[in-house]
Amino acid sequence: MDAVECSDVLLIGGRSGVGKSTVAWEVSALLQAAGTAHCLIEGDLMDQIHPAPPDDPDRSAITERNLAAVWANYAALGQRRLVYTNTVSILEGAMFRRVLGEPVRLVPLLLTAQDTTAAERLAGREIGSQWEPHVQRSAVMARHLAEHAPAGTVRVATDGRSVPDIARDVVAATGWAIDHA
């Protein structure tokens, strides 16, 4: 009987303004340069529907269905490594086990930033009336994630650091070998 190949999932979570998407793109660039097969899914796009389905007000079921559909396409192409970003992704291990099946190895990684850093970053992209509420929600979520991160979550600070430097730390946390030559 053939052994079932394990899927590896890097879950990049963190508050708004911490740099999840930017770091994930850099992680992908590092992996591409090393010839390391992987796929990248921006989790924030998995639940973009308005209004929310009546039976799914928090949009978690549509997120799971969309993730399952996208992953099925990647898996059919032989992918076994997934880089996934979403604020609360580190808290959603059960969803990934359901979608990807077993065996799966999850690498929960929490990007962190001080309130001032996150506010400065959000100021660059939140140009309308929602900047202040977004900053407030970001601070609340930072505390929530810090308190509820699962055991074994790797934490990577982003304050005052370059994106390539952060991405190298993130890739190192996965154990996915890349050639740094």
Side-chain angles (χ1 to χ4, degrees), residues 38-80:
H38 69 286
C39 52
L40 170 62
I41 297 176
E42 176 60 61
D44 288 345
L45 302 177
M46 296 288 105
D47 69 353
Q48 293 302 301
I49 182 172
H50 180 79
D55 62 341
D56 186 19
D58 66 357
R59 298 173 177 89
S60 59
I62 191 66
T63 296
E64 186 166 337
R65 285 194 308 267
N66 286 337
L67 176 60
V70 173
W71 176 251
N73 290 326
Y74 286 143
L77 295 171
Q79 290 294 328
R80 292 290 169 251

Side-chain angles (χ1 to χ4, degrees), residues 149-160:
T153 297
V154 176
R155 288 171 168 81
V156 176
T158 65
D159 299 282

Side-chain angles (χ1 to χ4, degrees), residues 43-126:
D44 288 345
L45 302 177
M46 296 288 105
D47 69 353
Q48 293 302 301
I49 182 172
H50 180 79
D55 62 341
D56 186 19
D58 66 357
R59 298 173 177 89
S60 59
I62 191 66
T63 296
E64 186 166 337
R65 285 194 308 267
N66 286 337
L67 176 60
V70 173
W71 176 251
N73 290 326
Y74 286 143
L77 295 171
Q79 290 294 328
R80 292 290 169 251
R81 288 187 194 96
L82 170 60
V83 177
Y84 184 89
T85 67
N86 181 267
T87 300
V88 298
S89 64
I90 64 168
L91 305 178
E92 296 179 324
M95 177 181 71
F96 285 90
R97 287 185 180 89
R98 287 189 302 272
V99 169
L100 277 69
E102 295 291 346
V104 63
R105 183 179 75 100
L106 302 176
V107 179
L109 190 132
L110 180 61
L111 295 179
T112 64
Q114 297 298 316
D115 289 343
T116 54
T117 300
E120 288 169 5
R121 291 176 182 163
L122 288 170
R125 73 174 203 227
E126 300 296 329

